[in-house]
Amino acid sequence: MTFANKAIKYFLNLGTPANLPKTISVINPYEKEDVKKTVKEFFAKYYDDQEERVFIFGINPGRFGGGLTGISFTDPVALREKCGIENSFGTRKEISSEFVYKVIEEYGGTDKFFSRFFLSALFPLAIIKNGINYNYYDEPELLKVLHSEIVLSIRKQTAFGANRKNVISFGRKNGEFLKRFNGELELFNKVETLDHPRFIMQYKRKSLNKFIDEYLGVFNMVVKS
């Protein structure tokens, strides 16, 4: 099977976890027909081969990015304008997606980037609390419930075709947890960690070029290793 076939099968068969804390809800975009169509088109376009990629794991998708489109760090605008995939998800931009696609453009564009990297999340569904995005590690009870789900997610996604030399985390705290999960699973030789795109866009926007250069430096390093 190709990387695309494995990814499509995985994402389109994701179920919502049971026993979530009462205050937490999960958005599973892959249950929607327009998302299923988008996922098939995206992976067929960029991953229709058996080549290995360097995996990049975020935390869990936001409700206006991957939680809406089904494609990690990709809002409807980026999906349309950068990936060339028309969609009915609207015109709202999401700041993490904006930063990621600035980096992708500097790297050489979507064809080059996706031929070498795979963007995803440790927990692949959007988590919501009180109507806003929430992280899998924000409270001990949630992390306890999702631990086995995340372990299974990492294992199954890695089977798409991961380069085992390096894995990249978007997010410092996420990187700490990725190192713990990797210690349990022993899948990757080294974990590289970068500041999260949302953190950069919210708090470090004046230093945007510095962070883009940092991202590109890590990308180039892991591809060459």
Side-chain angles (χ1 to χ4, degrees):
M1 292 178 70
T2 64
F3 192 114
N5 293 148
K6 294 174 185 176
I8 291 166
K9 182 178 179 181
Y10 170 75
F11 286 112
L12 298 195
N13 285 282
L14 282 171
T16 301
N19 303 317
L20 290 169
K22 293 181 180 180
T23 56
I24 302 294
S25 61
V26 167
I27 298 173
N28 184 350
Y30 305 104
E31 296 173 340
K32 300 176 181 178
E33 290 304 317
D34 50 356
V35 174
K36 291 179 182 179
K37 178 177 177 293
T38 296
V39 168
K40 290 175 183 177
E41 188 172 348
F42 178 84
F43 281 103
K45 181 172 183 176
Y46 293 112
Y47 293 92
D48 190 24
D49 56 49
Q50 294 180 329
E51 298 299 317
E52 290 184 345
R53 267 81 171 178
V54 175
F55 275 43
I56 302 171
F57 284 117
I59 305 164
N60 39 265
R63 65 196 189 283
F64 299 124
L68 176 63
T69 65
I71 308 299
S72 287
F73 292 99
T74 304
D75 63 25
V77 179
L79 187 62
R80 187 177 299 114
E81 296 181 357
K82 304 299 184 181
C83 301
I85 298 176
E86 288 300 325
N87 62 85
S88 58
F89 304 127
T91 59
R92 180 169 183 164
K93 293 185 177 181
E94 196 267 342
I95 60 174
S96 292
S97 178
E98 284 188 69
F99 179 79
V100 166
Y101 278 87
K102 285 180 187 290
V103 176
I104 289 174
E105 190 170 341
E106 290 294 323
Y107 187 75
T110 56
D111 286 342
K112 180 179 177 182
F113 179 80
F114 292 124
S115 72
R116 298 177 179 178
F117 295 94
F118 173 60
L119 284 172
S120 193
L122 291 185
F123 183 70
L125 304 179
I127 302 172
I128 306 297
K129 182 174 183 177
N130 299 323
I132 62 173
N133 292 335
Y134 206 57
N135 301 318
Y136 69 81
Y137 52 64
D138 280 342
E139 59 184 72
E141 184 183 357
L142 177 61
L143 180 60
K144 183 178 180 180
V145 169
L146 292 182
H147 180 274
S148 60
E149 298 275 348
I150 294 172
V151 168
L152 187 61
S153 167
I154 298 169
R155 192 187 300 279
K156 287 191 172 183
Q157 291 189 70
T158 301
F160 301 167
N163 182 321
R164 303 298 184 94
K165 292 181 181 178
N166 297 279
V167 63
I168 299 172
S169 165
F170 283 176
R172 298 292 174 183
K173 190 168 184 178
N174 189 56
E176 294 174 12
F177 281 99
L178 178 53
K179 288 177 182 177
R180 294 184 198 177
F181 289 122
N182 190 50
E184 183 176 336
L185 294 168
E186 298 182 339
L187 292 173
F188 302 99
N189 295 343
K190 189 175 182 182
V191 177
E192 300 286 347
T193 303
L194 291 161
D195 287 297
H196 196 278
R198 177 170 289 277
F199 169 79
I200 295 167
M201 293 292 277
Q202 281 187 320
Y203 303 110
K204 301 291 182 179
R205 196 181 283 260
K206 290 182 179 179
S207 303
L208 211 59
N209 289 336
K210 169 183 172 290
F211 286 100
I212 290 173
D213 288 343
E214 184 178 341
Y215 267 57
L216 293 174
V218 171
F219 290 171
N220 288 324
M221 178 185 68
V222 298
V223 166
K224 292 175 182 176
S225 68

